[in-house]
Amino acid sequence: MFTRKQRGASLVEWIVVVVVVVAVLGAAAIGIAEVTSGKAGEVETWIEGLATPVP
């Protein structure tokens, strides 16, 4: 794939690879953020449900 001696074709291949990697990492980051947000909401609900001592 990268063994060609043509600079233009090699540049296009590298750009495509970088775009694909960025897209995959972006999708993973969005997925992780959504899961983390859901868990944070569950923790907030749990904390609000804890009994607090009355002074």
Side-chain angles (χ1 to χ4, degrees), residues 1-44:
M1 178 172 161
F2 299 110
T3 58
R4 297 183 196 153
K5 298 294 180 186
Q6 301 170 352
R7 288 183 62 127
S10 180
L11 179 63
V12 171
E13 289 174 354
W14 277 108
I15 290 172
V16 169
V17 168
V18 168
V19 167
V20 168
V21 168
V22 168
V24 168
L25 292 177
I30 290 171
I32 291 169
E34 288 179 3
V35 169
T36 305
S37 174
K39 292 294 181 185
E42 292 174 9
V43 170
E44 182 181 9

